[in-house]
Amino acid sequence: MEQVSQHADPHYDQEANKLGMWLFIFTELLLFGGLFIVYSIYRFLNPEAFQLGAHELNPTIGAINTIILLVSSMTIAMSTSSLQKKNKGLTVLLLEITIMLALVFLINKYFEWGVKFDHGIWPGSEHLINDMSRGEILFFGLYFVMTGLHALHIIVGMIIIIVALKRVQNGTVNENRSSLLDNAGLYWHLVDLIWIFLFPLFYLIH
Amino acid sequence: MQTATQIPHDVNYLDYKGKYKGIFGWIFSTDHKRIALLYMYSMMVMFVVGVALGLAMKLELIAPGQTIMGPQTYNSVFTVHGVIMIFMIVIPGLPAVFGNFMLPIMIGAKDVAFPKVNLLSWYFYVAGALLVIASVLFGNGTPDTGWTFYAPYSFKSGTNLLPAIFGAFILGFSSILTGLNFIVTIHRMRAPGMTWFKMPLFPWSLYGTAWIQLLATPVVGITLVLVALERIFGIGVFDPALGGDPVLYQHLFWIYSHPAVYVMILPAMGAISEIIPTFSQKHIFGYRAIIASTLAIAFVGYFVWGHHMFTSGMSGTAQYTFSVLTFLVAIPSAIKVFNWISTMHKGSINPEIPFLWAVSFIFVFMIGGFSGLVLGALATNVYVHDTAFVVAHFHFIVFGGVGFSFFGAIHYWFPKMFGRMYDKVWAKVGWAFFTVGFLTLYSPMFYLGMIGMPRRYYDYLPEFHAANILSSLGSWVMTFGLLIVVINLFRSAKNGAIAEINPWHGKTLEWTVASPPPVENFEEIPVYGEKDGPYEY
């Protein structure tokens, strides 16, 4: 393994930055891994209730959001390669599209949660506790925790992308120092990947 | 950014005047050595609180019935004592202080891979500590669940638990960042020619530790978040009234918290593996065996969490499996002890104070380890479960293991860190009081547990009285020793005699740089040749 990077700036080590980001992604996967374990245990214990709960969710909105995230993953990946091709304008445009898509995802999520609230379903709500089975309480508890935590990651991802965008504009992130944008992309793919698992687990398995 | 200002090589890190003045030169510093000392001083503050709470518990137990506090206060005291000692002292202890200070120097680097993240991890540490303190000072009642925050009591208890839970979460995040930083540093920044098997053993132990920090901490992180959400919204996952399972909480908690024991003990073992050969004036025996056992402990440590839950409701198969796996951990631990003893064999032993701490570490670690086998075996575990025996066992491992190693390490590296030598006579007096006090404090608790005294009670039956008096006396002797040690170090950091560059004839890289080290450690990065080894540079 190369240990000393031969670069103009001795403090910049692209390999180290990438390795650090991958390690951080491991920790995120384990964080959600804990939740997926909880989900699978309670699904195993309450199969009927989880099916009933899934019928309450709207797979169409879920599918639209899946497509939005997949496209946003594509745009951020394209922005990284356009930065390597020194096309700063296109990079900025693609990052702006990514942020817009993330925003649309959150708006959809807001309306989705809003419908649940209108139906009297939220963690600890009277309707949930009095009228529904224990399994459904768990289903909706996990639904709100997992999609909520995921939405939080979307927001964090947006902030990182906005910072990357500013840095691309003022030139501190460029084709020779692209770690920040690369890592923002990696993080965004992670957020996307987690949604790819959440979507079938909550919306599709009936 | 830093390329504009050349950092002089003849200025040590303590005297260096950077961009910021006074205290800001420390709390905004990204120098790994200054961050190490920041950690050390903040830990010391928390340690004083933790020790005071421990003393208060021992004073309460000096006589049956209510002595100085009632049951509710006692519950809060052992909870806060546990949270402080586990999350703020022993988990970050050696990695954050000696890891931060020594790792870059020992592998021939100028700093860690991400200096700013390193400073951020200290900010998280302080934020977590402040949140825990806030849970004590504000709200209706101090947390009383024990440091494990077991469900369902952790969301039924009316006390001010939320800040403490978030504090523990943030402290975990701090620990993750330290681990991440160390892994990348070790992968990317070893001196040219320093291959993996030319790396000294302390960095190796930090490497194993860092992986545990990275892979186990997120699980407890999400578990604590779930408990907090359970408290705020009532999501139901751990609440039996809403269909959840509190035993699942215990599983998720111990999946992290058992490996965390190895986060505590592995760097402690690493420091001992540096001290013993230096003062035996001999090569470490079985360099590769120690590395292999380090990685084996880190690996097997993930699969033994169930031994905390033998009475919580598990299938017989799960119980046997966890019991067998627990015994497996004893093998690599025994390999290490064997290697340390073999290193001393026929060595020319120089019984300086770090060596005394190291051998007393081996002594208390053996007692702690063997009592761990008693607890790992299913039948005896059920007999002594939740008794004072368990408390004695984990204090021998966690306080005995990490504490003795920490004091060994600070006496070993003190002349390098501060450029001054402490008073060796007082250091020995402090060590003697501490060791005698430690054994007097915790040994009776093995006996008390065997005859049936439960843990976490402010009161006990009259037949437990005599041993409890002995234990409480021990706590005073130990604290007296601790005071001598700490005061001696504090005075010497300012006024001690100027230390040589290599007072112990150590063989690793930190002994080749000035004391205290210059800001960027090395004027020229060392280059390892074919014939150099971990201890032959």
Side-chain angles (χ1 to χ4, degrees):
Chain A
M1 189 180 292
E2 282 298 311
Q3 274 140 16
V4 181
S5 65
Q6 300 298 320
H7 204 277
D9 180 353
H11 291 289
Y12 182 77
D13 180 355
Q14 183 138 7
E15 281 299 312
N17 294 343
K18 200 185 279 178
L19 180 60
M21 192 64 205
W22 275 108
L23 292 174
F24 184 70
I25 285 176
F26 277 161
T27 68
E28 289 277 11
L29 286 177
L30 282 158
L31 188 88
F32 276 94
L35 285 172
F36 283 123
I37 286 179
V38 173
Y39 173 92
S40 47
I41 288 170
Y42 287 135
R43 174 158 204 116
F44 175 76
L45 294 174
N46 310 282
E48 293 89 6
F50 270 55
Q51 283 182 9
L52 278 176
H55 281 292
E56 287 280 325
L57 302 182
N58 186 340
T60 318
I61 299 190
I64 292 171
N65 263 348
T66 309
I67 294 166
I68 289 172
L69 274 194
L70 284 175
V71 173
S72 75
S73 251
M74 184 185 73
T75 52
I76 201 162
M78 286 163 71
S79 81
T80 343
S81 42
S82 67
L83 186 74
Q84 293 307 326
K85 290 175 183 158
K86 300 178 189 173
N87 192 340
K88 197 166 141 182
L90 183 61
T91 310
V92 169
L93 177 69
L94 285 164
L95 286 176
E96 281 166 356
I97 295 173
T98 313
I99 294 164
M100 287 311 295
L101 289 169
L103 206 58
V104 174
F105 178 94
L106 286 178
I107 292 167
N108 276 344
K109 196 91 253 165
Y110 169 79
F111 283 115
E112 223 188 332
W113 276 33
V115 172
K116 297 284 158 308
F117 289 160
D118 290 343
H119 292 177
I121 298 175
W122 64 84
S125 72
E126 276 180 27
H127 175 53
L128 198 60
I129 287 173
N130 296 333
D131 308 333
M132 292 202 176
S133 69
R134 306 289 91 149
E136 280 170 286
I137 295 174
L138 289 173
F139 178 85
F140 285 109
L142 286 171
Y143 166 77
F144 281 109
V145 171
M146 291 174 84
T147 56
L149 195 65
H150 178 259
L152 197 67
H153 278 76
I154 295 265
I155 294 169
V156 173
M158 283 170 75
I159 295 170
I160 297 172
I161 296 171
I162 290 171
V163 172
L165 175 72
K166 294 280 170 215
R167 297 273 173 91
V168 171
Q169 276 173 333
N170 70 22
T172 44
V173 169
N174 52 46
E175 67 276 9
N176 293 324
R177 292 183 66 113
S178 59
S179 280
L180 182 66
L181 182 60
D182 295 344
N183 285 345
L186 278 176
Y187 187 80
W188 195 250
H189 295 321
L190 165 84
V191 174
D192 191 9
L193 182 76
I194 289 167
W195 178 257
I196 300 286
F197 283 94
L198 289 181
F199 174 55
L201 286 180
F202 282 105
Y203 295 78
L204 294 186
I205 311 179
H206 280 173
Chain B
M1 283 168 283
Q2 277 136 319
T3 41
T5 50
Q6 277 299 328
I7 294 171
H9 284 290
D10 49 354
V11 176
N12 72 52
Y13 76 103
L14 291 169
D15 297 335
Y16 174 66
K17 299 260 185 296
K19 205 159 42 161
Y20 302 101
K21 300 272 175 292
I23 184 144
F24 295 108
W26 285 82
I27 60 176
F28 293 143
S29 169
T30 53
D31 182 347
H32 65 101
K33 301 180 284 298
R34 289 199 167 193
I35 293 171
L37 292 194
L38 286 176
Y39 263 114
M40 193 167 81
Y41 293 132
S42 32
M43 266 175 213
M44 196 165 292
V45 173
M46 297 317 294
F47 187 63
V48 169
V49 180
V51 168
L53 293 172
L55 274 176
M57 276 189 281
K58 290 278 58 160
L59 188 57
E60 167 58 36
L61 291 179
I62 201 167
Q66 181 163 341
T67 316
I68 56 163
M69 59 179 104
Q72 183 61 28
T73 316
Y74 189 81
N75 290 351
S76 298
V77 169
F78 73 66
T79 301
V80 179
H81 171 81
V83 170
I84 289 178
M85 289 304 202
I86 297 280
F87 292 115
M88 295 180 213
I89 313 290
V90 285
I91 289 181
L94 279 119
V97 177
F98 300 111
N100 261 329
F101 200 105
M102 290 301 163
L103 171 69
I105 310 184
M106 287 177 96
I107 63 170
K110 290 186 172 179
D111 206 319
V112 291
F114 308 117
K116 286 179 189 162
V117 174
N118 203 11
L119 181 63
L120 182 67
S121 82
W122 180 71
Y123 289 161
F124 279 135
Y125 177 88
V126 174
L130 288 176
L131 275 171
V132 172
I133 294 170
S135 80
V136 175
L137 297 182
F138 307 110
N140 42 344
T142 310
D144 60 349
T145 57
W147 75 276
T148 48
F149 304 120
Y150 264 17
Y153 187 58
S154 54
F155 47 85
K156 299 283 182 210
S157 165
T159 53
N160 192 23
L161 264 166
L162 272 181
I165 291 173
F166 278 119
F169 176 80
I170 291 175
L171 288 166
F173 207 68
S174 157
S175 170
I176 289 177
L177 291 180
T178 304
L180 188 152
N181 224 332
F182 285 0
I183 293 178
V184 178
T185 308
I186 290 171
H187 271 273
R188 294 294 302 166
M189 297 176 73
R190 277 171 288 132
M194 182 190 263
T195 56
W196 283 96
F197 288 109
K198 288 182 182 173
M199 191 163 72
L201 288 165
F202 186 59
W204 260 111
S205 72
L206 290 170
Y207 186 68
T209 309
W211 275 107
I212 308 177
Q213 287 176 303
L214 199 74
L215 296 181
T217 319
V219 181
V220 83
I222 193 65
T223 311
L224 293 175
V225 168
L226 284 174
V227 168
L229 292 174
E230 192 79 72
R231 257 185 101 80
I232 305 170
F233 299 113
I235 48 172
V237 285
F238 299 133
D239 188 349
L242 300 177
D245 185 355
V247 178
L248 184 60
Y249 172 83
Q250 296 188 21
H251 277 291
L252 289 170
F253 181 81
W254 288 114
I255 284 174
Y256 160 75
S257 297
H258 195 79
V261 174
Y262 303 109
V263 171
M264 307 167 195
I265 201 71
L266 279 180
M269 291 167 156
I272 298 300
S273 306
E274 297 293 343
I275 293 171
I276 294 218
T278 303
F279 293 95
S280 306
Q281 306 189 43
K282 221 183 124 201
H283 260 283
I284 184 85
F285 180 88
Y287 168 77
R288 284 184 188 233
I290 292 187
I291 294 171
S293 59
T294 299
L295 299 179
I297 290 176
F299 181 73
V300 181
Y302 281 110
F303 305 105
V304 300
W305 77 84
H307 67 219
H308 294 270
M309 303 168 53
F310 282 152
T311 60
S312 303
M314 273 198 298
S315 74
T317 319
Q319 288 180 325
Y320 299 139
T321 315
F322 279 123
S323 181
V324 170
L325 288 168
T326 303
F327 281 117
L328 286 184
V329 183
I331 298 170
S333 310
I335 290 175
K336 280 182 192 284
V337 173
F338 174 76
N339 279 312
W340 294 326
I341 306 285
S342 306
T343 307
M344 287 184 237
H345 180 64
K346 290 193 176 167
S348 167
I349 288 176
N350 177 17
E352 292 278 1
I353 186 72
F355 185 79
L356 296 179
W357 283 106
V359 282
S360 43
F361 164 88
I362 298 178
F363 181 70
V364 293
F365 179 72
M366 295 273 286
I367 297 176
F370 280 124
S371 59
L373 291 177
V374 174
L375 290 166
L378 209 44
T380 42
N381 178 294
V382 174
Y383 181 70
V384 292
H385 201 96
D386 263 344
T387 65
F389 189 92
V390 180
V391 181
H393 159 70
F394 69 70
H395 279 87
F396 262 90
I397 290 285
V398 170
F399 190 25
V402 179
F404 278 80
S405 173
F406 190 95
F407 287 120
I410 186 114
H411 285 95
Y412 180 55
W413 280 311
F414 187 88
K416 181 56 61 187
M417 294 167 84
F418 295 98
R420 289 175 185 275
M421 186 55 86
Y422 43 81
D423 185 316
K424 290 183 181 176
V425 177
W426 279 113
K428 278 181 188 164
V429 173
W431 165 79
F433 272 103
F434 185 90
T435 309
V436 171
F438 179 91
L439 294 171
T440 322
L441 165 54
Y442 295 113
S443 305
M445 294 168 88
F446 282 124
Y447 166 73
L448 284 168
M450 292 303 280
I451 60 171
M453 180 173 151
R455 65 190 282 206
R456 292 183 167 176
Y457 279 71
Y458 82 115
D459 190 9
Y460 51 82
L461 298 173
E463 59 259 40
F464 304 140
H465 195 182
N468 267 306
I469 293 179
L470 189 62
S471 175
S472 299
L473 287 176
S475 74
W476 303 339
V477 178
M478 190 187 76
T479 313
F480 182 64
L482 197 62
L483 278 176
I484 296 176
V485 170
V486 172
I487 291 173
N488 182 30
L489 289 177
F490 251 106
R491 288 169 49 106
S492 311
K494 272 218 169 108
N495 307 319
I498 301 292
E500 301 163 45
I501 283 186
N502 189 358
W504 318 122
H505 312 295
K507 300 269 196 274
T508 36
L509 280 179
E510 78 270 29
W511 302 112
T512 64
V513 301
S515 305
V519 180
E520 290 208 319
N521 304 341
F522 299 97
E523 197 160 354
E524 248 176 80
I525 297 291
V527 177
Y528 274 65
E530 281 287 308
K531 288 190 180 137
D532 296 329
Y535 296 99
E536 300 96 8
Y537 175 67

